[in-house]
């Protein structure tokens, strides 16, 4: 059952301050817990998710009915909706994180100085992470698992559209934590949809929060970046591009583009703009466009594209900078590799870009010149996912340039400290 929102601003502030204190108190127990204990907790969480699947589905049905009544798009409903298969995949992902090598205590470098001092750089937990996200209830389980694996504690604030689902998932998380002897406060979920809670998290809760991770729409991320008083790890929109080079294989290009756009249009790894080299546009674009249209995709093209595929709608300037998260694709014919790279630099969000080509030199140029978090050669942009990277899951795809970039898994949720061992050295 959804906890009702507090009625006064002071109530929200008091709630959030208390959550911060409890998170900080739970931090040491999680950080010092053995890798085996944290793995046990994760396995118990996965079991609880499977055991309580019916309750989670029931809560999700309430969320879906509420947002559908508000007239949201089917793409957004797809991001929100859970099925038995999706809950099973959620539990499997937690199990995968449980089996993932523990990042804490790992020496990433070690060296000895002429004076005999032994230096080691060792991974350690970040501390208390506040994660703000929208629409996707599975993030509740993913974030909880990755934080526990990396020795962190978490305060989770989901969107109001998935609050009932997230509360049900969080109950399974708490069940797994306590079964392994870890504090229930190691993962807390803000129980109110009141937006004042987001403002409170951005203050840092009197020093309780070490890192804030916004995962949501562009407006949410922009607000957090502008107003937060604590470090922020940003997950910006996925305005992703696939470029078909003159040397692209047609069958491969068709398969990759259809998958990159249509496998699941609501995910941040979906391709939103298709760029096609003018030299090969006559050969490549019509059959690729035909496959996309057959799959139910609306195409919005520039003049060159529309000339080759009359079924396209004429693109407007806004189409080049729109993350549709829907079966809509912008298409542009460009004058070669340099023009494709220039387009991506101008309009891309720094998330994920792909080139399809049989020319290794063109591919190398693209991979080096395009400075997005993820760049691919002859592969779908839908691989922009921590699970596909072998990270066991992700909290998001970071488009930041500091600390972590790309899929944020357990290893990316650690910092490091230096351990120096001596034999009595003093500095002259």
């Amino acid at each position: 059952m959804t906890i009702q929102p507090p009625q006064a601003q002071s109530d929200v502030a008091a709630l959030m301050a208390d959550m911060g204190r409890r998170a900080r108190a739970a931090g040491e127990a999680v950080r010092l817990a053995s890798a085996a204990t944290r793995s046990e907790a994760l396995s118990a969480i996965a079991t609880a998710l499977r055991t309580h699947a019916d309750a989670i589905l029931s809560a999700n049905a309430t969320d879906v009915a509420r947002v559908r009544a508000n007239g949201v798009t089917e793409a957004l409903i797809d991001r929100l909706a859970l099925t038995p298969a999706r809950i099973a995949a959620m539990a499997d992902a937690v199990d995968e994180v449980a089996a993932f090598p523990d990042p804490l205590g790992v020496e990433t470098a070690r060296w000895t100085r002429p004076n005999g001092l032994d230096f080691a750089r060792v991974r350690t937990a970040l501390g208390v992470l506040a994660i703000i996200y929208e629409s996707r209830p599975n993030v509740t389980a993913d974030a909880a698992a990755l934080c526990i694996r990396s020795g962190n504690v978490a305060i989770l604030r989901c969107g109001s559209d998935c609050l009932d689902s997230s509360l049900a998932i969080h109950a399974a998380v708490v069940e797994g934590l306590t079964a392994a002897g870890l504090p229930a406060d190691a993962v807390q979920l803000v129980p109110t949809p009141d937006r004042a809670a987001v403002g409170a998290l951005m203050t840092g809760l009197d020093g309780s929060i070490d890192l804030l991770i916004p995962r949501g729409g562009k407006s949410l991320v922009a607000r957090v970046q502008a107003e937060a008083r604590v470090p922020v790890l940003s997950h910006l929109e996925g305005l992703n591009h696939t470029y078909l080079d003159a040397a692209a294989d047609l069958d491969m290009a068709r398969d990759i583009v259809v998958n990159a756009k249509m496998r699941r249009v609501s995910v941040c790894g979906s391709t939103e703009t298709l760029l096609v080299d003018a030299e090969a546009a006559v050969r490549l674009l019509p059959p690729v466009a035909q496959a996309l249209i057959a799959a139910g995709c609306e195409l919005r093209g520039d003049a060159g594209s529309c000339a080759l595929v009359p079924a396209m709608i004429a693109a407007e300037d806004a189409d080049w900078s729109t993350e549709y998260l829907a079966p809509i694709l912008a298409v542009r014919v460009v004058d070669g590799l340099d023009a494709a790279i220039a387009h991506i630099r101008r309009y891309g969000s720094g998330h994920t870009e792909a080139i399809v080509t049989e020319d290794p030199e063109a591919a190398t140029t693209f991979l080096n010149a395009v400075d997005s978090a993820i760049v691919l050669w002859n592969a779908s942009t839908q691989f922009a996912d921590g699970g596909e990277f072998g990270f066991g899951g992700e909290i998001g795809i970071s488009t930041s340039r500091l600390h972590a970039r790309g899929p944020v898994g357990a290893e990316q949720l650690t910092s490091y400290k230096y351990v120096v061992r001596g034999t009595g050295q003093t500095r002259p």
Side-chain angles (χ1 to χ4, degrees), residues 47-67:
T47 297
L49 288 170
R50 297 184 181 101
T51 300
H52 301 297
D54 288 344
I56 295 170
L57 286 171
S58 177
N60 183 249
T62 299
D63 283 333
V64 170
R66 182 175 61 251
V67 300

Side-chain angles (χ1 to χ4, degrees), residues 276-367:
V276 185
D277 191 329
E279 183 180 331
V282 173
R283 178 176 67 90
L284 295 173
L285 184 52
V288 170
Q290 182 180 9
L292 286 163
I293 292 170
C297 185
E298 175 185 309
L299 303 179
R300 301 180 182 179
D302 68 341
S305 301
C306 290
L308 292 172
V309 184
M312 284 193 194
I313 298 171
E316 300 179 355
D317 287 344
D319 286 306
W320 313 121
S321 55
T322 298
E323 183 188 28
Y324 300 109
L325 299 175
I328 303 171
L329 182 67
V331 184
R332 169 170 275 179
V333 174
V334 294
D335 189 17
L337 179 58
D338 289 343
I341 293 169
H343 179 101
I344 291 169
R345 284 175 178 164
R346 178 175 179 182
Y347 296 105
S349 61
H351 193 292
T352 301
E353 327 295 347
I355 181 173
V356 181
T357 184
E358 297 300 297
D359 181 352
E361 184 176 345
T364 300
T365 298
F366 183 93
L367 298 176

Side-chain angles (χ1 to χ4, degrees), residues 25 105 112 137 154 171 188 208 211 368 379:
T112 302
Q188 299 178 66
S208 292
L211 181 67
N368 290 337

Side-chain angles (χ1 to χ4, degrees), residues 102-411:
D102 194 72
L104 294 190
V106 173
E107 290 185 355
T108 61
R110 191 165 186 172
W111 65 97
T112 302
R113 295 288 293 153
N115 60 9
L117 285 177
D118 180 83
F119 290 79
R121 187 168 64 235
V122 182
R123 287 202 190 105
T124 187
L126 289 169
V128 178
L129 310 184
I131 303 166
I132 305 171
Y133 53 100
E134 302 171 338
S135 301
R136 292 187 178 279
N138 63 289
V139 176
T140 304
D142 291 346
L146 292 168
C147 286
I148 295 303
R149 175 76 287 162
S150 54
N152 296 296
V153 300
I155 299 176
L156 309 178
R157 201 282 185 181
C158 68
S160 59
D161 51 0
C162 66
L163 182 56
D164 283 272
S165 307
S166 295
L167 285 167
I169 293 168
H170 179 252
V173 170
V174 170
E175 182 177 313
L177 289 170
T178 55
L182 291 178
D185 288 339
V187 178
Q188 299 178 66
L189 179 73
V190 177
T192 172
D194 197 314
R195 294 185 178 183
V198 174
L201 289 173
M202 291 193 293
T203 69
L205 302 181
D206 295 323
S208 292
I209 295 174
D210 296 292
L211 181 67
L212 184 58
I213 304 176
R215 176 174 175 170
K218 192 172 184 177
S219 60
L220 168 65
V221 175
R223 179 192 174 193
V224 172
Q225 290 175 326
E227 300 179 20
R229 302 179 200 168
V230 294
V232 175
L233 184 63
S234 299
H235 170 110
L236 199 56
E237 62 184 342
L239 216 166
N240 310 318
H241 300 76
T242 295
Y243 168 58
L244 304 185
D245 181 59
D249 175 81
L250 172 56
D251 290 338
M252 180 186 293
R254 182 169 45 225
D255 291 346
I256 287 176
V257 172
V258 172
N259 182 268
K261 177 69 246 184
M262 299 300 292
R263 172 191 165 270
R264 195 171 177 192
V265 299
S266 62
V267 298
C268 66
S270 175
T271 286
E272 302 291 13
T273 298
L274 175 66
L275 304 174
V276 185
D277 191 329
E279 183 180 331
V282 173
R283 178 176 67 90
L284 295 173
L285 184 52
V288 170
Q290 182 180 9
L292 286 163
I293 292 170
C297 185
E298 175 185 309
L299 303 179
R300 301 180 182 179
D302 68 341
S305 301
C306 290
L308 292 172
V309 184
M312 284 193 194
I313 298 171
E316 300 179 355
D317 287 344
D319 286 306
W320 313 121
S321 55
T322 298
E323 183 188 28
Y324 300 109
L325 299 175
I328 303 171
L329 182 67
V331 184
R332 169 170 275 179
V333 174
V334 294
D335 189 17
L337 179 58
D338 289 343
I341 293 169
H343 179 101
I344 291 169
R345 284 175 178 164
R346 178 175 179 182
Y347 296 105
S349 61
H351 193 292
T352 301
E353 327 295 347
I355 181 173
V356 181
T357 184
E358 297 300 297
D359 181 352
E361 184 176 345
T364 300
T365 298
F366 183 93
L367 298 176
N368 290 337
V370 174
D371 193 24
S372 294
I374 303 170
V375 287
L376 305 104
W377 175 15
N378 288 346
S380 167
T381 57
Q382 296 262 343
F383 283 104
D385 177 270
E388 295 298 325
F389 275 56
F391 292 175
E394 66 173 46
I395 283 182
I397 306 291
S398 170
T399 52
S400 298
R401 294 179 181 274
L402 297 178
H403 182 64
R405 201 175 185 203
V408 178
E411 181 180 316

Side-chain angles (χ1 to χ4, degrees), residues 72-96:
V72 304
T73 66
E74 286 302 314
L76 290 178
I77 290 174
D78 179 65
R79 292 165 72 92
L80 169 63
L82 295 174
T83 63
R86 288 184 180 181
I87 292 176
M90 190 190 311
D92 289 346
V94 175
D95 269 334
E96 188 174 353

